[in-house]
Amino acid sequence: MIYLTIFLAVAGAGIGILWLHQRRQRSHLHSVNGFRSDLERITAHQIVLPDARPTRQRAVPSKPGGKLRPEPLDPERREAARRRLERRRAAGSSARS
């Protein structure tokens, strides 16, 4: 009789463990399916990203048929640009050596 009681207790514990495991797996499956359905719903809509590059406006010629001339740089900006170019050239020539 003791063996039957032990057998029933072990069987009940095993069934309980299997039932808990099945519940965890089912809840995990629902969360994965829920995530997948949400993801599909999001990707069903076309996502439009804004253009990261700013659009440049073309200069309008003052005379019809005239050449397009950019506005001249300020002297300070021109000097700063010249210094940057010289630094790049110097860095490039030292890297090649």
Side-chain angles (χ1 to χ4, degrees):
M1 190 70 178
I2 293 178
Y3 288 117
L4 184 60
T5 307
I6 293 172
F7 179 75
L8 289 176
V10 170
I15 290 172
I17 290 171
L18 288 174
W19 179 73
L20 285 174
H21 182 67
Q22 182 186 15
R23 280 190 56 188
R24 278 192 224 122
Q25 290 295 324
R26 187 178 295 151
S27 68
H28 178 69
L29 180 64
H30 286 297
S31 67
V32 169
N33 285 338
F35 175 74
R36 184 174 292 143
S37 66
D38 289 343
L39 185 63
E40 287 171 355
R41 194 173 338 136
I42 290 170
T43 57
H45 303 292
Q46 186 179 19
I47 299 172
V48 179
L49 297 176
D51 190 12
R53 298 183 325 220
T55 56
R56 290 179 48 179
Q57 298 291 330
R58 294 192 63 169
V60 178
S62 58
K63 296 186 251 181
K67 291 185 179 181
L68 295 177
R69 293 187 180 170
E71 294 182 20
L73 291 176
D74 297 334
E76 299 94 25
R77 289 185 65 197
R78 182 181 296 272
E79 185 63 28
R82 187 184 61 73
R83 284 193 305 265
R84 282 194 304 270
L85 284 173
E86 286 176 359
R87 278 192 305 244
R88 283 188 204 148
R89 287 181 186 148
S93 64
S94 66
R96 290 184 205 139
S97 300

